Amino acid sequence: MDKITQSMKYRYALVQYALKHGVRAASRRYEKGRSYIYFWLKRFDGEMRSLGLRSRRPHHHPSEQTPEEIELILRYYRHHQGLGLLEFWFKRREVGYTRHYVSLYRAMQRNGLTKHKANKKTKHQVKPYEAMNIRGEGCKLTSSTF
């Protein structure tokens, strides 16, 4: 995090006020809950950069597919590309694959093994028309219109 943002400056002022006058006074002045102020006080280490937002991305996923499982999927798919997803999943279950078929599909998507169907809708084609040279040229008047 190399930029100091306006929100970081705001939080810095809030924390400084809370340290000087107390959390209750800072809560009233800045119209923020005490739990919000305690959260930023706990994170504050003396620098404004410590009051920046951090990533919420997890460091690991405990139930993600193992590299061995992915390798089995890739190896089996090379030899059986014509199978549908459900049939492919059943064949994998016979060998010992224990995951749900949606997990299999997502793993295949991540590795570029799924084929996307093209949209069958055709685009609307604009038909050419002749521009009118004389006013009222486009409408046809018959005797029944009078």
Side-chain angles (χ1 to χ4, degrees):
M1 215 184 297
D2 44 356
K3 272 177 44 174
I4 294 177
T5 62
Q6 289 292 322
S7 58
M8 289 165 71
K9 290 178 183 176
Y10 173 79
R11 288 186 214 115
Y12 184 74
L14 170 78
V15 166
Q16 291 298 327
Y17 192 85
L19 289 172
K20 187 173 181 182
H21 300 286
V23 173
R24 195 167 146 214
S27 175
R28 269 190 256 118
R29 175 158 183 187
Y30 286 91
E31 297 179 1
K32 294 288 182 185
R34 288 184 303 166
S35 60
Y36 177 83
I37 297 170
Y38 281 120
F39 172 81
W40 289 111
L41 276 172
K42 188 169 68 172
R43 193 177 275 191
F44 184 61
D45 66 355
E47 280 192 37
M48 194 180 301
R49 293 191 188 286
S50 65
L51 299 174
L53 298 177
R54 296 182 187 166
S55 173
R56 293 169 181 253
R57 183 178 179 206
H59 295 293
H60 70 286
H61 191 294
S63 60
E64 72 180 324
Q65 297 200 22
T66 62
E68 292 82 24
E69 287 177 321
I70 303 266
E71 180 58 38
L72 282 172
I73 292 168
L74 293 173
R75 189 172 53 220
Y76 194 78
Y77 185 79
R78 274 186 233 126
H79 300 293
H80 301 88
Q81 290 183 10
L83 294 178
L85 177 66
L86 203 55
E87 201 174 359
F88 186 76
W89 179 67
F90 273 118
K91 295 283 187 184
R92 291 288 77 215
R93 298 276 297 192
E94 291 171 1
V95 178
Y97 186 77
T98 58
R99 309 265 181 176
H100 196 266
Y101 70 90
V102 175
S103 299
L104 173 69
Y105 180 70
R106 287 184 184 142
M108 290 172 70
Q109 269 186 325
R110 271 193 301 273
N111 291 294
L113 302 178
T114 57
K115 297 172 185 141
H116 297 286
K117 293 181 182 176
N119 192 357
K120 291 187 178 183
K121 281 189 173 181
T122 57
K123 290 184 179 180
H124 174 71
Q125 293 181 354
V126 180
K127 297 178 182 175
Y129 67 95
E130 292 182 27
M132 292 188 294
N133 296 328
I134 304 170
R135 189 181 199 175
E137 182 181 345
C139 66
K140 296 180 181 176
L141 298 177
T142 60
S143 60
S144 63
T145 57
F146 293 111

